[in-house]
Amino acid sequence: MDVCRIIITVFSFILLAQFSAAMELSRCLTLTKEHRHRLEKEDSILNCFEKNKQQITRDTCYKSLTKDVIKSVSSKINEQLNSICFYETTYAKNIDTCTKDTEKFKNTLNHDEALFYCYQQFQEKIIKKDCFKIANLLIYPLKKEYLKQYCERDGNNND
């Protein structure tokens, strides 16, 4: 009985911590709406994400982006915010989630770098077919060919 109570208590604290971190980010983003100048607003939004990136999950970060931010920032700032969510919050749960998140990058270089990051993060767990799937998602032809060649010769990947 005591073990159940301890597990429930710990789980409750974890949920409460995640909820409060999301609320803190949301509160910070609400304050950015007071800025009238676009550059001040963008700096303030970027600061909110930088300040809260260690406390929020990847999903919370992306939800905050789509709900509160995307329409009010330039594409450059949007790429920076996507980078924070992708690289500096929690890790992706699996290779499919990771590759899906790379679609949020609009800049080709950032997109391809994120795909390589996904490969590196999960390279010990993926099979050759998944390696080729990632290679085919790359945009730059030379990077695509490089990864395909690597997939072909890497003996660690199972078929």
Side-chain angles (χ1 to χ4, degrees):
M1 185 67 176
D2 289 332
V3 174
C4 274
R5 190 175 303 152
I6 291 170
I7 291 172
I8 290 172
T9 303
V10 169
F11 187 67
S12 297
F13 279 125
I14 291 170
L15 284 176
L16 185 61
Q18 287 182 344
F19 179 73
S20 67
M23 288 301 295
E24 183 62 32
L25 177 61
S26 181
R27 203 170 317 145
C28 185
L29 291 173
T30 301
L31 293 175
T32 65
K33 294 175 182 170
E34 295 175 6
H35 295 288
R36 294 193 178 187
H37 193 274
R38 182 182 60 83
L39 295 177
E40 286 178 351
K41 185 180 283 195
E42 287 182 350
D43 285 345
S44 184
I45 289 169
L46 193 56
N47 185 44
C48 287
F49 279 89
E50 284 288 343
K51 190 169 50 172
N52 291 286
K53 67 186 176 187
Q54 299 296 322
Q55 290 82 30
I56 59 174
T57 65
R58 181 182 278 219
D59 290 338
T60 301
C61 191
Y62 283 130
K63 284 177 186 169
S64 296
L65 267 180
T66 56
K67 185 178 89 174
D68 300 321
V69 175
I70 288 182
K71 294 176 186 136
S72 58
V73 296
S74 66
S75 59
K76 178 183 174 189
I77 299 296
N78 190 37
E79 287 289 296
Q80 288 178 296
L81 294 171
N82 275 318
S83 289
I84 290 171
C85 294
F86 188 82
Y87 294 109
E88 300 183 51
T89 59
T90 56
Y91 291 111
K93 295 173 181 71
N94 55 50
I95 189 67
D96 291 330
T97 304
C98 192
T99 56
K100 183 80 172 151
D101 288 344
T102 65
E103 295 172 6
K104 293 172 174 57
F105 290 102
K106 303 304 177 206
N107 177 292
T108 303
L109 182 62
N110 293 342
H111 174 268
D112 281 3
E113 284 180 14
L115 281 168
F116 270 110
Y117 179 79
C118 289
Y119 174 77
Q120 289 172 334
Q121 191 176 356
F122 293 99
Q123 72 183 28
E124 300 297 322
K125 300 175 186 172
I126 62 173
I127 60 176
K128 188 181 279 191
K129 181 180 99 177
D130 291 331
C131 185
F132 279 105
K133 181 178 160 187
I134 293 169
N136 285 324
L137 292 172
L138 291 166
I139 297 170
Y140 283 112
L142 291 176
K143 290 182 178 186
K144 184 181 289 197
E145 283 308 309
Y146 171 81
L147 188 55
K148 282 182 178 180
Q149 289 174 5
Y150 186 82
C151 295
E152 191 59 47
R153 72 170 188 258
D154 186 17
N156 294 332
N157 289 332
N158 302 323
D159 288 327

